[in-house]
Amino acid sequence: MLIKINRQDCLKNYPSFPLRSYNYDKDEEEFYYPEVFKSYILTLTSKSFKGHIKQLATGLLKLTKQLGYDRLIFLGDTELPWLNQDNNYKPAKEAQQYLVDNKIGKRFNGALQIESSGLQVFVKHLSWLTRCNAGLPYFHFTDKEQNIIGNICKYGNLHLDTLNEKTDTLVKAFVDASKFLILEDNNCFNQFGKANAIGGRRIIV
């Protein structure tokens, strides 16, 4: 079950969420990102993107349990709705239908609170939405105490920021004992093809 949270209510209660908007006067994007303690890009060794995100979903669930969280809150960094972009590529279409089935309307741009019990299914669909739809916001997540900020990029890597030393110590201990690998030098790449082109990825023109 997905619990919807009004966008403004979410930002009031969770002000650490990254934000992005376009300043038409300056003709440039403006960004807000909270001050972080340390940043990681975590990946997994996988043979396919489908298998990769299954491992990713399991790993993220284990991490949240290790940190003592029973839920995560997800929010886009712009005001565009979750269903802003249509895509007929089968996994992306299934992800869109998953949101519709959970009563996410075409105009909803607020946050989604995901309980641990539904996190793996949600992460699978979110990963396909992010991979295939270049016109969507970046969907970040945090815990209710705002100890971490994270997002899943188009390559299926987990970008994770710790916001305090205590949480960072717990995250490092988890990663050391897990299947996650730390990508050095922020070097994200497409490990499921010979080129950087991503199958099924579309952009709104």
Side-chain angles (χ1 to χ4, degrees), residues 44-46 50-60 179-180:
L44 296 151
T45 301
S46 312
K50 182 178 179 180
H52 181 83
I53 59 175
K54 184 177 181 180
Q55 283 196 84
L56 178 70
T58 300
L60 182 55
K179 295 181 180 179
F180 279 114

Side-chain angles (χ1 to χ4, degrees), residues 16-20 32-34 72-78 82 111-112 122 126 137-142 148-152 159 161:
S16 293
F17 268 114
L19 296 174
R20 177 167 52 104
Y32 162 74
Y33 210 95
L72 293 175
I73 301 96
F74 291 76
L75 181 72
D77 67 345
T78 74
W82 286 77
L112 295 177
F122 178 81
L126 176 64
Y138 297 124
F139 294 107
H140 294 87
F141 63 82
T142 191
I148 58 172
I149 293 288
N151 80 295
I152 299 165
H159 294 240
D161 298 314

